[in-house]
Amino acid sequence: MDDIPQSILDEAKWLRDKINYHNYRYYVLDNPEITDAEYDRLFDRLIELEKKYPKIRTPDSPTLKVGGAVLKSFHSVPHRLPMLSLNKVTTEGGFLDFHRRILELTGLSEDKIAYMLEPKFDGLAVELIYENGVLTMGLTRGDGLIGEDITANLRTIRTIPLKLYNHGNVPKLIEIRGEVLLSKRDFENLNRQRSEKGEELFANPRNAAAGSVRQLDSSITASRPLNFVAYGLGVVIGVDIKNQESLLNYLKKAGFKTPKYAFLCHNKDEVIKRYNYILNNRDEYEFEIDGTVIKLNDFDLREKVGELSRSPRWAVAWKFPPSQEQTTVEDIVVSVGRTGALTPVAVLKPVHIAGVKVSRATLHNEDEVKRKDIRIGDTVIVERAGDVIPEVVKVIKEYRTGNEKPFEMPKKCPVCGASVERLEGQAAVRCLNISCPAKQKEYLRHFISRGAMDIDGLGYKIVEQMLDKGIIRDAADLYFLKKEDIFKLERTGNKLAQNILDAIEKSKHPSLKSLIFALGIPNVGEHLASVLAKEFGSIDALSEKTTDELITVNEIGPIVAQSIFDYFREERNIRFIEKLKKAGVVFPVENMERENLPLLGKTFVLTGTLESFTREKAKDMLEQLGAKVSSSVSRKTDFVIAGENPGSKIVKAKQLNVKIKDEKWLKKVFDSKGEIPENG
Ligand code: IVH
């Protein structure tokens, strides 16, 4: 380090701390303090310094979150303290037995005992080792005694701080345990993307999380929206934590996500009440949970009751009723989605799974039906994972009678009867009729959803009625609705009508990524929409890109590039976008760091007829480059662009000594993305 100037070392440290802090605000607290552009600037500067002086890259550098190392295999590393598993109970009686044993073992009365009740996450248990506050190693649970070193992958997870924050004194060593998870929503998005690409689907969020973390190439891990929730400890040297409640507080302050539903319970009835609360609210929970974990709060008491060889006696997992059930497939029908994709759906003999009646399960696409060999009449295992769409896990082939009927994808759209087609390299068979009514409905459902235009207060049922009654014909029509139109719906009073109009009005200022997602470009899900928004900054810029330009973007492959390109060249879509603009939907220009725009501070005036673009278009392009375009010439004008038959503005420009340029010059500026030619 001797050869590196102190000022550089200081700056790098300052940048690391700042970026780690803002990561925490953004990913853990969901409450960012700075704009994405400001954040990127800090990040880019750190990358620049580390490139120039590779030695300054410390193990807590946030640049390690980007991933990239490719490993041949994982190393085995023993845990300092075994990572135990939990005894399970499935009934209230089972829990009460556990409670009674705790009273016996501690010799205490109920009023002296407190439990922490937490959700039992269904993810991948890992251990993070922090030495002097810095993450130095991350291990899988493995067999409980020996884990695998997956440090490079864990470093890419946003909710794993590379350095602990906000703690008073830095512990010499602290091993933090918790679960790597994929939210239910991200899981569905990931599977949708995989289905569209014809890749094999993950069975559940747990498998998806585990599959993402055990990747030899950490850039794959980095591309998945993984989370980490902390709930436990291994070895600790240098801080004194006395109970689970203070542990969770400590972890929160140190920069971790902790379980959202964690309840300190002072008696058995409270535990039962909270268990039921979590059970009843599990669908609302961001992550898949399969039960609760009940832990003695006090660490000294834990010591006293001790542990068995594989599981502690101070904790128990109280699992939820099973979320898999056996039933039969009565039929396989086909539904048509917003992109025209035909999705096979199993019609099931209704079963109750975890308290909810299930009578349908998605089969995703033709290949999945083939892979799982699901036939009409089959006995199957169906799984309902939280509010994830129910799935057929597998067929029980032993129960086959020989009367089962294999499924065949129809050759015509089941809704409108038009031809269908399966494009090469894609898993989906699609209806070719662009105005297939099924597409319209599903598109509207998508358009108003969270993540897209987010028109809450306008449910699918209402939109469906509007379409059926001809009150709207497409999504853009929503923005032209009047109160009288809404009164035509069943049971709508003045108040509801006003709420609907307000909700629609509020949705007119979407973020760019929401707007891109809302357009419903085939193969562009929420994640890719945000990648595209970051990369191109506006719908206009995105729509002009060629497939070659699109492919240069990380994560965009040839299929996606083609569908984006095609989308913006289809007449119907062009008209739809124009209609949205006319309706007053604001098309944002984002993420272009405004202060870095090349023409910032320059004022242009356009006069006369331009040949290669309309004046509107030229104005648009200038503004995108940061320039101001004014309608009259003044001392503040930098350039007047004169087309054919310029007006009096030229005279004024000459009087004021303002530079006058022609269209050829302007094109040069555009071609060089905003550079003013040498001679001014
Ligand atoms: S505490 C002594 N808390 O359950 C073990 N574990 O069966 C203490 N798990 O491998 C673990 N949610 O993956 C704890 N809130 C929670 C948990 C939890 C899920 C998992 C963990 C562990 C397994 C044990």
Side-chain angles (χ1 to χ4, degrees):
M1 293 278 177
D2 306 342
D3 44 337
I4 301 170
Q6 187 59 40
S7 62
I8 297 290
L9 294 173
D10 291 346
E11 185 185 355
K13 175 168 187 324
W14 182 84
L15 287 165
R16 283 194 301 267
D17 289 348
K18 266 257 175 312
I19 295 167
N20 281 331
Y21 170 73
H22 290 300
N23 275 343
Y24 171 64
R25 303 275 329 180
Y26 188 91
Y27 291 107
V28 179
L29 302 183
D30 274 332
N31 185 10
E33 257 172 20
I34 58 174
T35 64
D36 288 4
E38 283 171 279
Y39 176 86
D40 290 348
R41 208 166 22 252
L42 295 172
F43 205 92
D44 291 345
R45 173 67 182 155
L46 184 57
I47 288 181
E48 186 186 329
L49 289 183
E50 288 180 352
K51 229 187 221 152
K52 206 155 156 205
Y53 307 99
K55 278 195 225 149
I56 63 173
R57 191 186 232 200
T58 56
D60 71 330
S61 174
T63 60
L64 290 165
K65 287 220 177 286
V66 184
V70 179
L71 306 175
K72 293 215 170 44
S73 68
F74 298 117
H75 286 288
S76 299
V77 179
H79 296 290
R80 288 189 179 87
L81 275 180
M83 287 181 79
L84 299 175
S85 50
L86 289 166
N87 271 330
K88 293 175 188 61
V89 298
T90 53
T91 58
E92 193 175 305
F95 159 66
L96 291 174
D97 288 344
F98 163 81
H99 173 60
R100 219 168 297 127
R101 215 161 42 244
I102 291 286
L103 296 185
E104 271 167 34
L105 289 166
T106 55
L108 295 172
S109 58
E110 182 168 4
D111 59 328
K112 295 276 178 328
I113 281 181
Y115 296 111
M116 184 65 79
L117 181 133
E118 295 168 8
K120 183 169 191 314
F121 298 101
D122 198 12
L124 186 79
V126 302
E127 174 169 81
L128 305 172
I129 303 174
Y130 290 84
E131 293 172 86
N132 300 313
V134 175
L135 176 66
T136 51
M137 186 162 327
L139 304 172
T140 60
R141 175 169 179 273
D143 64 1
L145 298 175
I146 299 176
E148 285 168 316
D149 177 353
I150 51 165
T151 315
N153 294 347
L154 293 175
R155 280 201 168 113
T156 69
I157 297 177
R158 268 47 146 228
T159 36
I160 293 183
L162 298 171
K163 193 175 172 186
L164 306 174
Y165 326 98
N166 295 346
H167 39 68
N169 53 335
V170 186
K172 204 163 147 32
L173 172 71
I174 184 165
E175 296 181 336
I176 291 164
R177 294 172 175 185
E179 207 90 353
V180 173
L181 300 161
L182 200 63
S183 74
K184 290 184 281 199
R185 198 154 157 232
D186 289 331
F187 162 72
E188 282 189 10
N189 286 335
L190 181 62
N191 256 359
R192 196 173 313 123
Q193 284 164 22
R194 291 174 75 85
S195 166
E196 279 162 358
K197 285 193 230 148
E199 294 170 354
E200 199 172 308
L201 304 182
F202 288 117
N204 51 47
R206 197 203 111 77
N207 287 5
S212 302
V213 154
R214 297 192 66 265
Q215 286 284 342
L216 292 171
D217 178 352
S218 65
S219 63
I220 298 180
T221 314
S223 75
R224 308 258 166 90
L226 295 165
N227 273 285
F228 176 76
V229 177
Y231 53 63
L233 276 184
V235 174
V236 189
I237 305 173
V239 264
D240 193 18
I241 300 172
K242 290 195 169 356
N243 56 47
Q244 185 72 9
E245 190 185 21
S246 19
L247 171 64
L248 295 180
N249 284 330
Y250 178 86
L251 291 172
K252 233 180 276 175
K253 274 201 216 127
F256 293 93
K257 255 192 191 192
T258 54
K260 186 169 140 216
Y261 296 143
F263 300 111
L264 189 62
C265 303
H266 295 91
N267 55 55
K268 62 178 187 308
D269 295 330
E270 224 176 301
V271 171
I272 295 167
K273 196 176 100 199
R274 295 304 193 177
Y275 166 86
N276 282 307
Y277 175 81
I278 296 183
L279 174 62
N280 294 329
N281 288 286
R282 65 190 288 199
D283 285 357
E284 256 100 275
Y285 208 69
E286 180 182 5
F287 303 112
E288 184 74 56
I289 48 187
D290 56 358
T292 61
V293 181
I294 298 148
K295 310 171 176 180
L296 259 185
N297 188 44
D298 189 280
F299 288 180
D300 285 341
L301 279 185
R302 287 188 186 181
E303 188 104 30
K304 187 161 179 203
V305 303
E307 42 206 40
L308 303 167
S309 69
R310 313 208 44 206
S311 54
R313 282 197 288 209
W314 46 260
V316 73
W318 184 358
K319 302 267 283 187
F320 292 148
S323 56
Q324 285 193 345
E325 289 294 342
Q326 187 176 313
T327 184
T328 49
V329 177
E330 294 183 328
D331 197 1
I332 297 178
V333 297
V334 172
S335 78
V336 183
R338 70 181 159 88
T339 59
L342 272 56
T343 305
V345 177
V347 178
L348 305 168
K349 182 161 176 252
V351 268
H352 282 272
I353 307 182
V356 171
K357 189 169 125 188
V358 173
S359 51
R360 287 176 159 242
T362 175
L363 303 176
H364 298 287
N365 56 50
E366 209 177 356
D367 292 349
E368 280 287 299
V369 182
K370 286 222 179 81
R371 199 173 62 80
K372 291 183 180 158
D373 189 19
I374 301 166
R375 304 181 187 178
I376 299 167
D378 265 339
T379 302
V380 292
I381 301 290
V382 178
E383 183 174 81
R384 184 184 151 262
D387 55 6
V388 174
I389 309 161
E391 295 244 13
V392 172
V393 182
K394 64 168 189 197
V395 174
I396 309 181
K397 298 216 170 120
E398 295 76 49
Y399 290 178
R400 280 203 174 144
T401 60
N403 294 331
E404 293 75 17
K405 258 188 22 215
F407 165 75
E408 272 203 44
M409 207 64 180
K411 305 277 176 286
K412 300 255 178 257
C413 170
V415 176
C416 71
S419 309
V420 297
E421 180 184 52
R422 179 167 175 177
L423 292 178
E424 213 187 295
Q426 298 205 10
V429 172
R430 290 179 208 274
C431 166
L432 295 177
N433 172 11
I434 43 175
S435 44
C436 174
K439 284 189 197 174
Q440 264 313 337
K441 271 192 193 166
E442 286 312 307
Y443 176 66
L444 261 146
R445 184 207 289 276
H446 165 77
F447 185 83
I448 64 176
S449 69
R450 215 173 99 200
M453 300 306 276
D454 193 13
I455 314 186
D456 58 345
L458 185 63
Y460 176 63
K461 285 258 145 44
I462 300 181
V463 176
E464 193 179 26
Q465 263 194 65
M466 288 181 176
L467 273 174
D468 289 343
K469 294 202 156 93
I471 298 171
I472 55 172
R473 285 210 309 273
D474 64 18
D477 281 342
L478 288 173
Y479 294 99
F480 295 98
L481 283 176
K482 300 205 174 48
K483 237 187 208 165
E484 305 85 82
D485 300 321
I486 300 178
F487 286 146
K488 291 183 200 147
L489 302 175
E490 286 155 32
R491 288 193 298 273
T492 34
N494 198 29
K495 181 127 186 280
L496 179 60
Q498 193 54 50
N499 286 348
I500 291 175
L501 288 180
D502 290 348
I504 294 173
E505 186 60 32
K506 266 212 325 244
S507 74
K508 281 186 179 169
H509 295 267
S511 67
L512 182 57
K513 68 173 182 200
S514 305
L515 185 59
I516 295 176
F517 180 55
L519 290 181
I521 304 168
N523 301 314
V524 177
E526 224 175 328
H527 174 68
L528 284 188
S530 102
V531 170
L532 292 168
K534 260 219 152 89
E535 187 69 27
F536 298 113
S538 71
I539 299 273
D540 283 349
L542 174 63
S543 69
E544 283 161 9
K545 297 291 173 274
T546 62
T547 48
D548 285 347
E549 288 169 310
L550 290 162
I551 285 174
T552 60
V553 179
N554 210 353
E555 297 188 56
I556 307 288
I559 292 178
V560 179
Q562 192 64 47
S563 55
I564 297 170
F565 182 84
D566 292 347
Y567 176 90
F568 287 108
R569 268 132 207 100
E570 177 143 357
E571 188 57 36
R572 247 168 62 94
N573 298 333
I574 298 171
R575 265 187 283 131
F576 177 64
I577 288 174
E578 280 312 311
K579 192 165 166 188
L580 283 179
K581 283 185 180 165
K582 249 194 221 120
V585 174
V586 177
F587 278 50
V589 175
E590 268 181 16
N591 282 330
M592 301 297 229
E593 294 180 31
R594 268 206 76 79
E595 54 252 67
N596 288 347
L597 289 176
L599 297 183
L600 202 74
K602 297 269 182 281
T603 304
F604 284 68
V605 171
L606 302 168
T607 176
T609 316
L610 300 175
E611 217 176 280
S612 9
F613 11 67
T614 61
R615 242 197 276 171
E616 257 319 289
K617 178 81 194 165
K619 175 169 184 265
D620 238 31
M621 288 167 76
L622 282 167
E623 282 174 350
Q624 289 225 9
L625 293 167
K628 206 173 132 198
V629 179
S630 160
S631 54
S632 60
V633 180
S634 75
R635 250 172 248 289
K636 288 194 194 128
T637 311
D638 295 284
F639 300 100
V640 170
I641 308 295
E644 288 290 310
N645 304 320
S648 60
K649 289 175 190 166
I650 287 289
V651 183
K652 184 89 185 276
K654 281 185 181 150
Q655 278 171 4
L656 295 174
N657 236 341
V658 172
K659 292 183 184 128
I660 301 171
K661 300 288 174 190
D662 61 6
E663 185 170 348
K664 235 168 69 200
W665 181 90
L666 184 63
K667 276 176 90 174
K668 256 194 227 154
V669 173
F670 289 153
D671 288 346
S672 65
K673 299 214 159 63
E675 241 171 82
I676 305 285
E678 277 294 325
N679 52 3

